[in-house]
Amino acid sequence: MQKRLTKSQDKILVGVFGGIANYFNVDPTWVRIIGAALIIFTGFFPGTALYIIAAMVMPEANEVSPRVEKHETDYQTGRPNTMNGDFTKSDNHDEDSNDNQDNKN
């Protein structure tokens, strides 16, 4: 199974630094110290902004990725989603092509 960057269950604020520590298999305390130092020494704005963005983007540890969800119907047409790669515009595509061939003869 592929390793994913997720928020940590052992969290102090949101779990971003703990999740980064889990991903790289390092002690969360060191990641938190380094992260806090970077936020303080960069003038608070860039580090805080990056932390907030990471908190919004990183999924929870138990959360299912949207890529693996299968939808039963196509959201544009409402037809059943067959997931077979056939992207024709009409259900009776073969009948339409036969009608067009009859008109040509």
Side-chain angles (χ1 to χ4, degrees), residues 10-11 13 29 50 59 76 82 91 101:
D10 176 29
K11 50 181 132 184
L13 289 177
T29 305
L50 289 174
Q76 290 180 334
T82 58
D91 291 331
Q101 289 177 357

Side-chain angles (χ1 to χ4, degrees), residues 49-60:
L50 289 174
Y51 187 88
I52 292 170
I53 290 169
M56 291 188 301
V57 172
M58 286 173 64
E60 294 291 333

Side-chain angles (χ1 to χ4, degrees), residues 6-48:
T6 59
K7 293 179 190 172
S8 174
Q9 296 294 328
D10 176 29
K11 50 181 132 184
I12 291 180
L13 289 177
V14 184
V16 173
F17 290 142
I20 292 170
N22 290 341
Y23 186 79
F24 291 111
N25 292 326
V26 295
D27 186 19
T29 305
W30 286 109
V31 176
R32 290 174 180 139
I33 290 170
I34 292 169
L38 286 172
I39 289 173
I40 291 169
F41 292 124
T42 58
F44 289 97
F45 174 71
T48 306

